[in-house]
Amino acid sequence: MEEAQKMGLTNVWLECDSALVCVVFTAKTYVHWMFHNRWNTCLNYSEKIKFKITHIFHEGNVCVDKLANLGFIHRESFY
């Protein structure tokens, strides 16, 4: 969401394999205090744009899964 805001996007569809993240966004529930400021920024941004969040199963997101695994294995050298 922060990257979308930096890019000035006004239509964002977020597909996430974390059901908890989807629930937090749709129910606008409390998040841990460490993330509170960033969460409020994302929530405010999502209310100003056309925003949709959907859950996708881990197996359905093969490309992102492979990139995440690659980043985890080489976390010292990848950004």
Side-chain angles (χ1 to χ4, degrees), residues 9-60:
L9 300 178
T10 57
N11 294 310
V12 176
W13 183 348
L14 179 63
E15 283 187 333
C16 185
D17 62 2
S18 169
L20 179 61
V21 171
C22 293
V23 167
V24 169
F25 260 103
T26 55
K28 297 177 176 73
T29 59
Y30 179 77
V31 297
H32 192 276
W33 67 268
M34 287 177 42
F35 305 109
H36 192 70
N37 287 337
R38 293 177 81 178
W39 166 242
N40 280 337
T41 301
C42 290
L43 193 58
N44 289 335
Y45 172 63
S46 70
E47 291 172 350
K48 294 177 184 175
I49 63 169
K50 189 173 181 182
F51 175 71
K52 180 177 183 176
I53 185 166
T54 54
H55 179 260
I56 185 169
F57 289 101
H58 183 73
E59 298 80 12

